[in-house]
Amino acid sequence: MKQSTLQSGMLLTLAALACSPWADAQSRRVVDAAGSGLLTGVIRDAEGVPQMGALVEAILPDTGLVASAVTDARGRYRLNLRPGQYNIKATAALLMPSVRQHLVLARGGRTVVDMTLSTLLAPSGWIPASRRTVNEPSDDWMWTLRSSASRPMLRYADQKTYTVDTDNDGQLSISSSRQESRRGATGGSLSLKSSDGGFGRGGTHQVLVLTRVDEHGSGSVLRADLAGPRTPYPVAPSADVSVGFQRRTMLNGYARTVLSYSGHPELTSGLGQTGLQGAVLRSAERMELGDMIRVDVGSVLREVNFSGNAVAMEPFLRVQAHGPGGLILAYGVTRSRGTESIEDLDRVQAPLPAAVMRKGHLRMETGSHHALSAAKKIRGEGVIEVALYQDSLQTPLISGTGTLAVAEIPAEGFIADPTTGTYRVAGRDYSSGGIRVSFRQPVTHSMSFGAEMATGRALRAAFVQQGSLSEVLAGLSPDRVYAGTAFVDGKILRTGTTLRASYRWQPGRTLTAVDAFRVSDDGAYLSCSVRQSLGRLPGVPQGLEAVVDLQNLLAEGYQPYLSTDGQTLYLAQTPRALQAGLTFTF
């Protein structure tokens, strides 16, 4: 609960105002009116914390203030008003006021208006221009879905049909939005999926997600992914387990920690060792310094056991400053690919921490990334961003498909998944730098589209008609190229369909991504994720969804070559993969 000396003082002042003879007279006049309507709701801040001592005023457009109330310890208020049209205003110390205009109160009815009060910084918390990966898991942190804008939520319930929850004191408490209903919520989902292709993701998977969020925004989440039997390569089931925690901190911020464990007995190295185990500890904290500065700081600790041990500590820092005219400047530095801010910890499922032997030591893909960006809101809720970046990558892992003969398997720099016929090999170290321009524009309140152009260096494969894998890798060289992306995501109204789709193009012989720290391994070419609610079908329970994830649907960007034994093998930035199944949310 946000408390301060100033808030306490205002609470006493507002309580005295509400108890003044003028307020009592107004209240008695409204309460005694025949056929009055009931107005109630909850006042919270942008973090979802109920605000005690907030002043709620009902104002007639022509005559002014009619009635007022002060919220209790749970942020609730209650007003009895005559039927008519009102403006409802909520104010609290150190927070921006919120107004709901042209509210029509019916005779004998009940109207719920839940309002959110924001700091000066919160209205600028619009959707960032940065794009999430298309097949990003849907089990994100529940609390990231809270609204950060000052949007009052309205629902009118007729006196004969409304459903309410009543606390012990008889005070009415109604939740009218998804944000409000998460107060103290426990839930989860259970999925059964089948995968074809995808490094470390083959076979059937049972995924269980459990979440718990309390009314103060703290909470926890557990995700367990257990694989079923594999054919034609029988191995023990793989397991990926993640557990995360979030808590409120000082300076209007919060801290988040995610611990992940991966066990994949199906993976094998070029030296004949099998079975990879890995752990990833991701932690970050957000601090807001006044209304102008936001700081994200954290680290990623990765450990892999696979014919040896490898450990990497990768810190990151992002500083964001709000300038005049809605301009936002940001500087970020990170050594962890795919983790630049605390929002990147929303993905409860951590990337598989793969590693390969190189020069006698087990090594993981590492590097560093520096970016300076400027973003600004455009028409409506759109965002445009321009960024300059500089990268350095060591031991970049390149994807391949096909069955290698024993003589073709390199002794070092190689890890394979025989159950899906995919592998990864280490390419040469390189550095890159360039510019990125992107924009995102909502087209409805639930659907957005955007585009991006980026320049930089990527590893390009030389044309090799026939040769060993080692010879093909020796021909890789960094080259300056460009990439273009178009994407759309959101919900299709009245269909129960959630869609995420993107097409990222870059020259076909390039085997690593332009701006690699921003784009994941599965971000190239045509990919999409569709979630279709089945709850509207007769006899189907609510919460059941069909899920389909497609990666590189058109199988583009493959670089073929003939091995010395006549087999056709491929290197590809993004091998094609399919995952489909059912998810039940409870």
Side-chain angles (χ1 to χ4, degrees):
M1 177 82 58
K2 291 186 179 178
Q3 299 281 340
S4 66
T5 304
L6 182 57
Q7 283 179 301
S8 300
M10 176 163 285
L11 173 60
L12 297 176
T13 303
L14 297 180
L17 175 61
C19 297
S20 65
W22 180 86
D24 285 343
Q26 294 290 333
S27 179
R28 284 194 298 270
R29 179 173 64 84
V30 173
V31 172
D32 292 341
S36 63
L38 178 63
L39 177 67
T40 186
V42 179
I43 307 300
R44 287 183 169 89
D45 67 3
E47 300 297 329
V49 179
Q51 293 300 294
M52 181 178 69
L55 176 64
V56 181
E57 299 173 306
I59 303 171
L60 285 173
D62 51 349
T63 61
L65 180 66
V66 172
S68 62
V70 177
T71 57
D72 61 14
R74 297 184 181 180
R76 302 173 301 185
Y77 72 93
R78 183 187 184 102
L79 286 170
N80 288 283
L81 301 170
R82 287 179 174 176
Q85 181 174 292
Y86 296 87
N87 294 334
I88 309 301
K89 181 179 181 180
T91 56
L94 303 181
L95 296 172
M96 296 181 65
S98 180
V99 178
R100 171 70 166 92
Q101 295 181 335
H102 309 305
L103 170 66
V104 178
L105 188 65
R107 183 184 302 274
R110 296 195 176 196
T111 302
V112 178
V113 176
D114 296 336
M115 305 181 76
T116 303
L117 303 179
S118 303
T119 63
L120 294 177
L121 183 61
S124 298
W126 32 264
I127 299 176
S130 59
R131 178 176 60 90
R132 313 293 282 289
T133 57
V134 170
N135 61 350
E136 170 190 342
S138 59
D139 47 35
D140 295 352
W141 301 92
M142 291 178 65
W143 45 77
T144 61
L145 301 178
R146 291 179 311 216
S147 170
S148 63
S150 180
R151 299 190 187 96
M153 304 298 181
L154 171 66
R155 180 181 66 185
Y156 174 78
D158 184 78
Q159 193 173 21
K160 296 182 180 179
T161 60
Y162 67 87
T163 301
V164 300
D165 295 326
T166 306
D167 296 327
N168 295 331
D169 59 0
Q171 181 84 13
L172 186 66
S173 176
I174 300 180
S175 177
S176 64
S177 70
R178 191 175 185 183
Q179 169 191 343
E180 302 297 340
S181 64
R182 285 206 162 87
R183 184 160 48 104
T186 299
S189 65
L190 181 63
S191 304
L192 177 62
K193 301 179 181 180
S194 178
S195 295
D196 180 16
F199 184 81
R201 295 190 300 178
T204 60
H205 292 257
Q206 299 85 37
V207 183
L208 174 65
V209 180
L210 297 176
T211 57
R212 170 64 187 173
V213 182
D214 63 27
E215 61 180 324
H216 302 294
S218 299
S220 58
V221 60
L222 170 67
R223 183 185 191 277
D225 183 343
L226 303 178
R230 313 293 180 86
T231 57
Y233 184 74
V235 293
S238 65
D240 293 279
V241 180
S242 298
V243 58
F245 306 93
Q246 176 173 284
R247 59 182 175 83
R248 297 287 303 278
T249 61
M250 299 176 61
L251 299 176
N252 194 30
Y254 56 92
R256 186 176 296 162
T257 301
V258 183
L259 175 61
S260 303
Y261 165 81
S262 300
H264 286 264
E266 76 276 17
L267 301 183
T268 180
S269 74
L271 300 177
Q273 290 87 356
T274 60
L276 178 145
Q277 292 181 315
V280 181
L281 176 62
R282 296 173 288 164
S283 60
E285 182 172 352
R286 167 164 291 177
M287 297 170 286
E288 294 185 357
L289 309 179
D291 297 324
M292 303 299 295
I293 305 295
R294 172 180 290 177
V295 179
D296 289 355
V297 59
S299 63
V300 178
L301 175 62
R302 295 188 293 161
E303 190 273 339
V304 173
N305 187 315
F306 186 58
S307 67
N309 285 285
V311 179
M313 172 62 77
E314 301 167 332
F316 65 89
L317 170 69
R318 180 178 172 84
V319 180
Q320 180 175 288
H322 291 246
L327 180 67
I328 295 183
L329 301 177
Y331 170 75
V333 56
T334 181
R335 295 189 64 85
S336 176
R337 182 175 174 182
T339 308
E340 299 182 61
S341 68
I342 195 169
E343 277 86 4
D344 293 320
L345 273 65
D346 292 350
R347 294 173 300 212
V348 181
Q349 180 183 12
L352 180 64
V356 297
M357 293 297 296
R358 200 172 192 185
K359 298 180 180 179
H361 298 280
L362 190 66
R363 299 182 185 275
M364 293 180 286
E365 184 179 71
T366 59
S368 63
H369 170 80
H370 299 261
L372 180 64
S373 65
K376 186 176 178 59
K377 292 186 69 174
I378 54 179
R379 186 182 63 177
E381 295 297 318
V383 180
I384 187 169
E385 181 184 51
V386 179
L388 301 174
Y389 72 93
Q390 180 67 41
D391 292 345
S392 175
L393 286 94
Q394 292 83 46
T395 319
L397 297 181
I398 300 170
S399 299
T401 62
T403 302
L404 287 168
V406 175
E408 295 289 320
I409 299 177
E412 291 190 336
F414 179 83
I415 179 173
D417 178 2
T419 64
T420 61
T422 59
Y423 56 87
R424 291 184 180 178
V425 290
R428 59 177 294 182
D429 301 349
Y430 72 100
S431 60
S432 175
I435 186 171
R436 180 184 68 246
V437 179
S438 61
F439 83 92
R440 184 186 186 98
Q441 178 67 54
V443 291
T444 68
H445 72 276
S446 61
M447 182 71 70
S448 300
F449 77 95
E452 177 179 296
M453 290 291 297
T455 63
R457 302 179 77 190
L459 289 182
R460 181 191 289 267
F463 179 76
V464 177
Q465 185 174 3
Q466 185 172 10
S468 66
L469 179 58
S470 298
E471 292 174 333
V472 173
L473 295 175
L476 298 182
S477 62
D479 195 6
R480 180 160 295 278
V481 294
Y482 61 91
T485 304
F487 57 91
V488 60
D489 59 58
K491 293 184 177 180
I492 303 176
L493 297 178
R494 294 183 294 276
T495 64
T497 304
T498 300
L499 172 68
R500 297 179 183 178
S502 71
Y503 185 84
R504 177 180 175 86
W505 181 90
Q506 63 186 71
R509 297 211 329 265
T510 55
L511 299 177
T512 59
V514 177
D515 197 359
F517 272 77
R518 177 182 172 87
V519 179
S520 65
D521 293 328
D522 51 12
Y525 305 105
L526 181 60
S527 301
C528 66
S529 173
V530 180
R531 299 176 65 92
Q532 177 63 56
S533 174
L534 304 178
R536 300 181 180 183
L537 299 177
V540 177
Q542 293 292 328
L544 186 65
E545 294 179 306
V547 181
V548 178
D549 291 326
L550 299 170
Q551 176 180 305
N552 194 2
L553 178 60
L554 303 179
E556 296 177 89
Y558 279 73
Q559 179 63 32
Y561 68 96
L562 292 177
S563 65
T564 54
D565 64 348
Q567 294 277 349
T568 301
L569 305 176
Y570 301 90
L571 295 179
Q573 181 182 334
T574 304
R576 183 170 61 178
L578 167 67
Q579 186 177 61
L582 296 175
T583 296
F584 179 72
T585 302
F586 52 89

